[in-house]
Amino acid sequence: MTKLPVTRTRREFLKTTTGVGAAVTLVRFTPSLFRGVSESSESPAALASSATVAPSWVDKPMRWAQLTLVEDDPGKFDLAFWLDYFKRTHSDAVCLSGGGCVAYYPTQIPFHHRSAWLGDRDVLGELVSGCRKMNMAVLIRTDPHATYDDVQAAHPDWIAVDAQGKPRRHWASPEMWVTCGLGPYNFEFMTEVKKEIMSRYHADGIFINRWDGSGQCYCAHCQENFKAASGFELPRTDDPQDPARRAYILWRQQRLFNLWQLWDSEVRKINPDSCVIPNTGGGALSSLDMKRIGEMAPMLVADRQARRGVAAPWANGKNGKEYRAALGRKPVIGLFSVGLEEPYRWKDSVQSDAEIRIWVLDGIAIGMRPWFSKFSGTLHDSRWLKCVEDIYDWANKNQHYLLQETPIARVGLVYSQQTAWFYGGNRAAAKVEDHALGWYQALIEARIPFEMVHDGLLNAEHVRQFKTLILPNIAALSDAQCEQLRAFVKNGGGVIATYETSLYNEWGVRRKDFGLSDLFGVKWSGRIESPMQNSYLRLEHEAAPHHPLLKGLEDAPRIVNGVSRLEVEPQAKFEQMPVTLIPSYPDLPMEKVFPRQEKTDIAGMYLQQIASGGRVVYFPWDIDRTFWEVLAVDHFKLLRNAAEWATNETPPIETSGPGFLDVVGWHNRDSITVHLVNMTNPMAMKGPYREFISVGEQKVTVRLPQGVRAKMVRLLVSGKQPQVNRAGSALTVLVPSILDHEVIAIDI
Ligand SMILES: [Zn+2]
């Protein structure tokens, strides 16, 4: 194990992380943050004790509504309209504005700012009682991230401070101040706010928004607490190899987990069947450890409000799968807004129906329960109402089939927060996430159902359902994680890895060679070629005739290479090399553009068949990242073929037909469902949805698990009985056409 400065601070963390808000019970530092460093000293039981009991209501709501009031709503917004809308949408749970930035009830807490329009009303109370009458579960929202001059004057130490030592005005509302998320404003003041709200309304839970600070804070509390915990001054660089930065990444998380636990325990003292639901989490780029979050949270809200820019329509589904990777069967709620989510923050805007539908339908398909979020009780544009009502109405009618239990997926796509934090740093989007996005796109395009897998959960129990694990440049892996992957292959599993996977340890420190060198069958020569211009891959049809990796590329003599390549030396004996390197050659002047070497014996990928039946594919280049950037169909075919070859089994669900569909299968208690979400994009430029373009006949073959018999097959969207052909345990269902989505429901 590489010796790292941060490890010596660990014991001190345990002693001193209380700081302000000392009443909090100390959560022990999560071993996953120190994987490989001190794992043996932490017992799994210690971790389990930090997980809390789920309130009894948590798994019930299927359709959520959120109304976030703005300050001038009281006395102005139409309360009866909203209660009626909740009813019409069959919403069975709601999130209502409580306090923090603005209190919508007559708070008694000093400095808790009542809405200037509140008068002597209790708007929150009126909403809560209306929703309770409809038997809705009620969460109350607080937002602590901004406050006022009187607070700043009385408690200047509650305000966030910038790197130059100046208290921070709010970037969008300059009359306000940004609060410190890690100090007494949250630990003391907001604790009192939550206690008051819970005492008054006995809510089912408190939803905490923007609770984790707004960028790094340099206030006196942060300086002092960080120094006491780590021995370092606050970091001034964002280089994750700076020991202070590395310690800060971990310390900040620990503060927030302590804060969450403090709030949770305080509200449970008042209502034991309640909890705090933090608005937190995500994929590799999120800053709080998802494994730990998955242990602590009874449910979570995946907050991806809408597609933006050229974002893919599956981005909401991806986010939901990342949450599920950590939460397992706990409910994951898909929070969507109905407005345009662009950097200009048109918070009162309305999206097209098609944009809202594709986003929400894919969220439902991958297993999220929908949660619409509306800011402002006063409607400036009501065009979205019907669209959301229609989706919710359909979801209500088909609720029985949407209690999705076990995803039918044999492929797991791994994501790694530690790779983003310690290897990617401030370039994690390009160095880490773009590789995952390339694979995500390719798997959907290939219509291979798959799940996301958290790299902290590679143990046998969590990966048992998968035949193949894909590691898209998962650069930072501990020895223990490498061992888990070896065990997976030893048990017959397939692994596909790209580029620098396992070339760094869990702290982002480069190894001499891959941690998975033996699995890949190659060792790193120490050189990286990047960027590669005008390089190709030769397809060796003669040396490797009809090779499965070349499926669909039979007529291609060569395809484009990627942009970055590691030089590696084979250690194992590779019988066949279906793809070999054509090195870069000049791309200008045009007269000089001719290959200097037509053929090499350098492989473009390394395929290993292990005796156990496991198969390994290693691409020493950035095929996935390049695919995401360029979307070359030849790269897609290689990725698809690699996934099929490594998985090496008849898939449980196969789909053919025109269009770009997200295919998601579920095995439920008394049904098997296959969601087909039509992502065939109608727009020529960028990715906006104006309308759905219907795609033609889809042939879907579902292979039923042993002992499972199909009773009835129906289509939940068209309402029709499809044509079904049975052959043994395989059902082939013909879906005549799909406009936005279809769900094949097989009663079992
Ligand atoms: Zn601070």
Side-chain angles (χ1 to χ4, degrees):
M1 185 59 231
T2 317
K3 285 200 181 66
L4 297 164
V6 72
T7 61
R8 74 176 163 75
T9 69
R10 186 181 162 276
R11 196 161 294 127
E12 291 171 25
F13 273 121
L14 296 179
K15 279 193 301 199
T16 61
T17 39
T18 42
V20 179
V24 62
T25 318
L26 252 189
V27 177
R28 304 186 71 187
F29 224 123
T30 173
S32 68
L33 295 175
F34 290 88
R35 223 174 272 122
V37 176
S38 55
E39 203 154 291
S40 58
S41 66
E42 294 279 1
S43 74
L47 247 193
S49 67
S50 74
T52 44
V53 181
S56 61
W57 58 269
V58 151
D59 198 29
K60 292 176 188 153
M62 294 295 288
R63 291 163 303 278
W64 284 81
Q66 180 182 0
L67 176 60
T68 304
L69 297 178
V70 295
E71 185 164 2
D72 76 345
D73 270 330
K76 193 173 164 193
F77 85 111
D78 184 347
L79 186 133
F81 165 83
W82 283 106
L83 293 175
D84 179 59
Y85 189 68
F86 297 160
K87 194 173 173 181
R88 278 191 283 141
T89 50
H90 312 278
S91 296
D92 47 11
V94 69
C95 179
L96 301 167
S97 293
C101 177
V102 174
Y104 294 94
Y105 66 94
T107 176
Q108 303 301 316
I109 296 173
F111 301 111
H112 193 203
H113 175 85
R114 290 188 201 191
S115 158
W117 285 262
L118 189 66
D120 38 19
R121 283 182 67 182
D122 177 1
V123 171
L124 173 59
E126 292 163 27
L127 275 162
V128 169
S129 97
C131 293
R132 285 286 191 215
K133 279 186 194 134
M134 295 188 284
N135 291 319
M136 297 172 83
V138 175
L139 290 188
I140 296 178
R141 174 186 186 272
T142 60
D143 186 329
H145 89 278
T147 192
Y148 305 85
D149 281 344
D150 59 336
V151 174
Q152 194 270 341
H155 296 281
D157 63 316
W158 288 6
I159 307 301
V161 170
D162 68 17
Q164 285 72 47
K166 278 178 36 192
R168 288 176 60 195
R169 281 287 186 183
H170 195 275
W171 58 92
S173 289
E175 76 283 6
M176 298 185 79
W177 298 91
V178 178
T179 58
C180 169
L182 307 176
Y185 184 81
N186 263 349
F187 277 91
E188 293 169 9
F189 174 74
M190 285 306 297
T191 304
E192 291 308 309
V193 169
K194 283 170 182 59
K195 284 161 68 178
E196 183 182 67
I197 289 174
M198 190 50 85
S199 303
R200 286 180 62 104
Y201 304 105
H202 216 69
D204 294 303
I206 295 197
F207 182 65
I208 49 175
N209 194 55
R210 285 193 185 263
W211 63 289
D212 54 355
S214 311
Q216 191 183 330
C217 172
Y218 293 84
C219 77
H221 295 290
C222 285
Q223 286 183 41
E224 194 180 309
N225 290 333
F226 180 64
K227 180 84 182 263
S230 71
F232 294 113
E233 302 297 332
L234 287 168
R236 298 276 165 175
T237 79
D238 50 15
D239 173 8
Q241 293 310 306
D242 167 8
R245 169 58 60 192
R246 191 182 293 166
Y248 184 83
I249 289 170
L250 302 176
W251 173 78
R252 173 181 169 274
Q253 295 193 49
Q254 189 55 41
R255 286 296 284 173
L256 291 170
F257 285 127
N258 287 348
L259 179 64
W260 173 0
Q261 203 176 47
L262 166 71
W263 285 342
D264 196 69
S265 69
E266 289 300 320
V267 302
R268 284 174 193 256
K269 280 180 197 160
I270 299 163
N271 176 5
D273 200 31
S274 73
C275 63
V276 158
I277 308 283
N279 191 1
T280 191
L285 302 184
S286 63
S287 65
L288 286 190
D289 180 34
M290 278 300 279
K291 180 167 174 271
R292 179 67 177 282
I293 288 173
E295 287 155 0
M296 285 176 72
M299 62 166 252
L300 272 184
V301 179
D303 179 355
R304 285 294 176 282
Q305 302 191 0
R307 217 186 51 74
R308 67 161 66 179
V310 293
W314 42 253
N316 191 33
K318 172 171 178 287
N319 191 45
K321 286 184 183 180
E322 286 158 348
Y323 277 73
R324 180 161 58 248
L327 267 84
R329 289 205 176 177
K330 294 175 182 177
V332 179
I333 319 297
L335 189 162
F336 64 98
S337 82
V338 298
L340 274 86
E341 289 297 329
E342 298 289 350
Y344 313 103
R345 294 184 59 82
W346 294 299
K347 300 309 288 182
D348 288 329
S349 63
V350 170
Q351 291 266 27
S352 74
D353 280 15
E355 287 281 6
I356 298 173
R357 286 188 75 84
I358 192 70
W359 201 247
V360 180
L361 294 177
D362 197 48
I364 292 174
I366 70 94
M368 288 197 290
R369 304 175 185 193
W371 162 315
F372 76 78
S373 176
K374 188 72 196 86
F375 307 95
S376 173
T378 311
L379 283 177
H380 301 287
D381 185 343
S382 56
R383 286 176 293 172
W384 61 275
L385 291 168
K386 171 102 174 36
C387 176
V388 170
E389 191 178 334
D390 288 349
I391 298 170
Y392 274 45
D393 190 48
W394 176 84
N396 177 49
K397 285 197 180 103
N398 295 286
Q399 170 168 323
H400 178 71
Y401 291 103
L402 300 179
L403 287 163
Q404 292 138 318
E405 289 172 29
T406 310
I408 301 173
R410 299 288 285 157
V411 171
L413 179 59
V414 176
Y415 72 99
S416 169
Q417 292 175 286
Q418 71 189 17
T419 297
W421 298 338
F422 301 122
Y423 158 87
N426 60 7
R427 294 185 54 224
K431 288 177 71 178
V432 181
E433 186 68 356
D434 281 355
H435 293 261
L437 292 169
W439 266 110
Y440 204 100
Q441 169 77 19
L443 290 170
I444 293 191
E445 217 174 320
R447 301 188 176 190
I448 297 173
F450 66 102
E451 285 290 300
M452 299 295 289
V453 176
H454 190 277
D455 72 334
L457 296 165
L458 294 173
N459 53 320
E461 185 199 335
H462 276 92
V463 297
R464 189 169 294 131
Q465 81 169 94
F466 302 113
K467 185 72 197 302
T468 295
L469 292 175
I470 297 173
L471 306 167
N473 197 30
I474 304 297
L477 285 171
S478 69
D479 291 346
Q481 288 170 304
C482 292
E483 201 46 52
Q484 290 174 324
L485 290 163
R486 268 191 279 277
F488 180 73
V489 174
K490 214 169 167 183
N491 289 327
V495 160
I496 305 173
T498 64
Y499 198 45
E500 296 194 282
T501 294
S502 80
L503 194 55
Y504 294 74
N505 73 10
E506 68 272 38
W507 299 105
V509 177
R510 193 150 81 188
R511 295 186 166 105
K512 282 206 181 75
D513 196 3
F514 304 103
L516 293 172
S517 176
D518 54 338
L519 272 197
F520 300 166
V522 300
K523 78 176 209 204
W524 183 42
S525 74
R527 284 182 295 278
I528 298 176
E529 191 182 354
S530 178
M532 285 187 290
Q533 293 279 116
N534 198 36
S535 168
Y536 298 84
L537 294 166
R538 186 185 148 97
L539 307 188
E540 303 288 352
H541 297 293
E542 280 174 23
H546 311 294
H547 197 282
L549 264 293
L550 303 182
K551 190 180 90 180
L553 293 163
E554 291 82 0
D555 57 348
R558 47 141 72 181
I559 64 174
V560 298
N561 203 343
V563 178
S564 299
R565 185 179 74 89
L566 298 180
E567 276 185 28
V568 298
E569 292 158 19
Q571 301 297 294
K573 192 165 159 34
F574 292 94
E575 312 252 309
Q576 284 191 317
M577 291 202 290
V579 172
T580 54
L581 176 75
I582 302 175
S584 290
Y585 48 92
D587 58 85
L588 210 70
M590 287 317 296
E591 292 79 355
K592 302 291 180 190
V593 184
F594 56 89
R596 304 306 195 265
Q597 249 181 309
E598 294 279 5
K599 185 169 163 49
T600 65
D601 58 0
I602 301 168
M605 59 184 156
Y606 293 89
L607 309 174
Q608 290 228 85
Q609 168 95 48
I610 313 294
S612 65
R615 290 180 165 187
V616 179
V617 183
Y618 171 62
F619 291 94
W621 51 290
D622 60 344
I623 178 172
D624 36 16
R625 195 214 60 78
T626 306
F627 178 58
W628 183 238
E629 182 182 351
V630 180
L631 288 175
V633 67
D634 292 343
H635 286 164
F636 158 68
K637 287 174 181 170
L638 266 193
L639 291 167
R640 175 199 61 197
N641 295 346
E644 289 177 357
W645 184 81
T647 306
N648 191 27
E649 65 177 18
T650 311
I653 299 171
E654 280 182 286
T655 315
S656 62
F660 180 52
L661 306 186
D662 192 2
V663 179
V664 188
W666 291 94
H667 190 171
N668 308 319
R669 192 180 315 161
D670 51 11
S671 70
I672 284 175
T673 54
V674 180
H675 290 246
L676 307 165
V677 183
N678 181 9
M679 297 191 163
T680 311
N681 191 333
M683 290 299 282
M685 301 288 289
K686 291 180 76 184
Y689 278 73
R690 292 284 189 280
E691 59 176 337
F692 287 99
I693 305 296
S694 176
V695 294
E697 185 178 86
Q698 306 291 323
K699 190 169 145 188
V700 182
T701 300
V702 181
R703 292 184 180 82
L704 300 176
Q706 256 193 340
V708 171
R709 297 189 48 180
K711 291 181 196 153
M712 177 132 102
V713 182
R714 69 183 104 205
L715 301 178
L716 298 184
V717 178
S718 74
K720 291 182 183 139
Q721 294 271 325
Q723 186 188 326
V724 182
N725 300 316
R726 295 173 194 242
S729 67
L731 295 187
T732 298
V733 182
L734 294 179
V735 179
S737 70
I738 301 174
L739 183 62
D740 49 1
H741 73 143
E742 186 54 271
V743 183
I744 300 168
I746 304 167
D747 290 333
I748 55 175

